[in-house]
Structure formats: C-alpha cells, structure tokens
Amino acid sequence: MIFGTLSRYFFRRYVVTTMWFLLGMSAITFLLDFSETASRISSFPGYTLGGAVLLTAVRLPLILQQTIPFVALFVGITVLIGLNRKYELVVTRAAGISVWQFMLPFIAGSLILGVLTVVALNPLAAWGQRQATQFETAWRGQDNAMIRALQVPWLRQISGRDDVIIGAKTVLENGTLLMDAVLVHFDSAGQVILRQDASSAKLEDGYWQLNNVVERKPGEIPVRKATEQLRTNLKQDFIKERLTAPETIGFFDLSNRIAAAKSFGISTKALETQFNSLLSQPLLLVAMTLIAATVSLKFSRFNQSRSVILGGILSGFMLYVVTVLVKAFGSSGVVPPFVATWIPVIVALALGATILLHQEDG
C-alpha cells in the first residue's frame, strides 16, 4: 500500500515536471525558430508576418521531437535532485525500498513519453514538415535567386529512345510536383542533345506536364515555351517512394511505404532506419532516465556535485550524438538499419543499469 502510494506520487512528480519542461522547450524553440525563419524568408515575395508565425508553428512538432531525449534526461535529473534535497529519497531508502523499486515510476513515465512521441508527435511532425515545405515554395514565387537548393535525388527515365535525367530544386506533393525542374536529354551515344529548364514539372498519367520551359540545344538559341509535355513510363507511386523524405512520413505509414518501395526495387534503408529509430525511441528515453539516475541519486542537501551532473548531461549528449551518427550510417546502407538503431540504445541501457548496480549494490 505504501509503495503504491509512493509510486503514484513519484509518477505524478515526473509527469508534472515533464509537462513544464515541454512547455518551456516549446516556447524557447518557437522563439528561436521564428527568429531564424523570419530572417531567412523575409525577402520572399509572398512573405507575411502571420505566415512566418504559421510556418514556425507547423515546424515546431518536428523540432520538439528531436529534443525529446534531452527532455527525458533533464526531467530525470531535475526530479531526482529535487526529491533528494527534500529528503524524500532518504526516507524512501530508509523504508527499505530499493533503487530499482522507486525508479519504476520514472522508467514508466519515460516509456509513456516515448510511446506518445512515436504515435502522436511523430505523425504531427511529418504533416507539419510537408506543410512547411509547401508554404516556403509558395512564398518564393518565381524568384530563382532566392531558392535554396535542397538535397533532391536525380531521376533517370528511359522510355523508348528517350533517355532523360530529371532533377529539381524542391519536391512537393509526395514527389509528383517538381519545382524549378531540370531535364537533360541524351542520345544513344550518351551525348547531351537537349536541356529543358521548367518552373514546374507535374507528373500526370503517362507524361510530365512542364510549365514555363526554356529549351537549350547545343549550338542553337534557347527557345521559350509556355507548356510542354514529356512522355514517361514512371508511375506516381514509384516517384512518391523515390523522392519522399523519411522525415515527412508518419510512423503508421512507414511500414506500408517500405513494402511499396521494395515492390519497385527501391532501396528502403532510409525508411527502415527511420522506422526502427521510432520503435527504439521509448527505450532511448529509458536509457536517458537511467543516465540521469546515475548522477542524481547520491544524497546532497544543498550542493549537488556540479561535475557529476555535468558528466551526466555530457553522457546523455554523447548518447544522442552516437544514435544520430549511427542512424546516418543505417540510412546510407553502411550499417544494417536494425543494428544502427537498436545497438546504441541497448548498450546505453546496459551501461546505465551496470552503473546503478555498482553504485547501489556494490
């Protein structure tokens, strides 16, 4: 009975502190991102102050999702140090409750936070990222000098005798709308015979619809055309799987997109890495909580060791950096996606548990 009441009390403290941290983190993130966004896009033809606020708001879930591991770390440190300073953990230990028992509410809280991040925050972040891209593209207008080149993969289509490589500055509508598209045509000998620069290229059923096209042939004067059509054998589903960034796909859609990409013979390393990264997110937050416990459980009434706390923060930061770095390896295919996402989390969990065992049980 006593342990049940104590667990609920600890869990409530964890939840309240987490809510305050999320609120504070959201406010700080919003202000910083709004300042950066306003300075970056203020010269766009369609820019408005209200639009900048809206753009920052839809981008906020994605940025907040990336900070959740640090929220779990700082919440754990804050709650445990607060309980220590009020002698609450001292009394808990004196009652015969072990560290593994009174840590259960904090572990449960971090698990729940991780699950909510995956099932609620991630789909919202994916939607917001898609909306943000559309807003920026609409505000840029036709001023090509202000368009920031994105890392968009080039496509190659071979239809009959046509051999064309297609690239773009910006990809919209799941890859079926290319803004500031470039199409380079080759002959059978591999020589460039035509270059088409279009303000937009929309994939329709069996053809690309090009708008505001400038055609350049070797040795000839450029020709401008209002519209032009280029036949293609590429399907819309294929383009969606080829050009859509994993960050813009919600958790519940990832498994279907992986299956669809495999059916087209497209590499699914990035999608699988993103999927496994989201699956491992709750355990990553548990690892952050254990790291927080290793530097916060030693009793100190007034002066908690700053060096120990700083060490815990640096350890959590290093864990986050390692997970991001290895995730990049998984996305590129250097490391299998499952290994890239799960091994750092498992190692961190084992390390945190080992340190706690050494501290508490000798």
Side-chain angles (χ1 to χ4, degrees), residues 45-68:
Y47 169 80
T48 62
L49 182 60
V53 173
L54 179 61
L55 177 62
T56 304
V58 298
R59 280 169 46 86
L60 183 61
L62 179 64
I63 302 175
L64 189 61
Q65 175 185 301
Q66 297 171 346
T67 65
I68 289 295

Side-chain angles (χ1 to χ4, degrees), residues 53 60 98 105 114 117 129-131 207 229 248 254 311 325 352:
V53 173
L60 183 61
S98 70
T117 300
Q129 183 67 5
R130 294 194 299 268
Q131 295 301 312
Y207 65 93
Q229 291 185 357
T248 62
L254 275 171
L325 181 62

Side-chain angles (χ1 to χ4, degrees), residues 76-96:
I77 293 176
T78 302
V79 174
L80 291 172
I81 289 179
L83 293 174
N84 248 335
R85 288 184 175 179
K86 294 181 179 180
Y87 292 102
E88 291 170 296
L89 289 187
V90 176
V91 174
T92 300
R93 292 170 183 268

Side-chain angles (χ1 to χ4, degrees), residues 338-358:
F338 183 85
V339 174
T341 52
W342 285 96
I343 292 301
V345 175
I346 293 174
V347 170
L349 282 171
L351 184 61
T354 301
I355 295 176
L356 279 180
L357 280 171
H358 177 74

Side-chain angles (χ1 to χ4, degrees), residues 10-63:
F10 284 167
F11 182 77
R12 185 168 62 251
R13 287 283 297 269
Y14 184 91
V15 171
V16 172
T17 306
T18 299
M19 293 177 62
W20 280 111
F21 263 90
L22 289 176
L23 182 62
M25 189 71 71
S26 298
I28 294 173
T29 301
F30 185 90
L31 292 175
L32 292 176
D33 190 61
F34 174 77
S35 177
E36 188 275 335
T37 300
S39 63
R40 178 169 55 86
I41 68 175
S42 59
S43 58
F44 287 2
Y47 169 80
T48 62
L49 182 60
V53 173
L54 179 61
L55 177 62
T56 304
V58 298
R59 280 169 46 86
L60 183 61
L62 179 64
I63 302 175

Side-chain angles (χ1 to χ4, degrees), residues 24-239:
M25 189 71 71
S26 298
I28 294 173
T29 301
F30 185 90
L31 292 175
L32 292 176
D33 190 61
F34 174 77
S35 177
E36 188 275 335
T37 300
S39 63
R40 178 169 55 86
I41 68 175
S42 59
S43 58
F44 287 2
Y47 169 80
T48 62
L49 182 60
V53 173
L54 179 61
L55 177 62
T56 304
V58 298
R59 280 169 46 86
L60 183 61
L62 179 64
I63 302 175
L64 189 61
Q65 175 185 301
Q66 297 171 346
T67 65
I68 289 295
F70 294 104
V71 170
L73 177 66
F74 290 128
V75 167
I77 293 176
T78 302
V79 174
L80 291 172
I81 289 179
L83 293 174
N84 248 335
R85 288 184 175 179
K86 294 181 179 180
Y87 292 102
E88 291 170 296
L89 289 187
V90 176
V91 174
T92 300
R93 292 170 183 268
I97 299 175
S98 70
V99 63
W100 305 107
Q101 289 177 304
F102 68 71
M103 280 298 298
L104 285 179
F106 306 112
I107 294 175
S110 60
L111 272 175
I112 294 173
L113 178 61
V115 172
L116 290 177
T117 300
V118 173
V119 303
L121 185 60
N122 174 258
L124 183 61
W127 174 84
Q129 183 67 5
R130 294 194 299 268
Q131 295 301 312
T133 303
Q134 293 181 9
F135 290 156
E136 285 198 48
T137 302
W139 295 339
R140 287 175 183 136
Q142 301 301 322
D143 193 349
N144 292 330
M146 292 185 297
I147 294 181
R148 179 174 58 89
L150 301 177
Q151 296 297 325
V152 177
W154 289 77
L155 292 171
R156 181 173 184 176
Q157 69 169 45
I158 300 177
S159 178
R161 295 183 178 180
D162 296 330
D163 186 357
V164 186
I165 292 181
I166 305 172
K169 293 278 188 176
T170 308
V171 177
L172 299 175
E173 299 181 9
N174 290 324
T176 59
L177 177 59
L178 308 180
M179 304 302 295
D180 294 282
V182 178
L183 299 90
V184 182
H185 299 248
F186 298 87
D187 60 16
S188 58
Q191 301 296 319
V192 176
I193 58 175
L194 173 64
R195 169 173 171 153
Q196 294 175 306
D197 294 87
S199 61
S200 66
K202 174 68 174 178
L203 180 62
E204 304 291 352
D205 188 13
Y207 65 93
W208 288 97
Q209 179 66 43
L210 310 179
N211 298 311
N212 299 322
V213 187
V214 178
E215 294 187 346
R216 297 180 176 86
K217 294 183 179 180
E220 298 184 12
I221 299 175
V223 178
R224 294 182 177 273
K225 296 182 179 179
T227 61
E228 185 73 13
Q229 291 185 357
L230 174 67
R231 65 176 182 175
T232 182
N233 53 7
L234 298 177
K235 302 299 182 182
Q236 291 189 0
D237 290 339
F238 174 84
I239 297 297

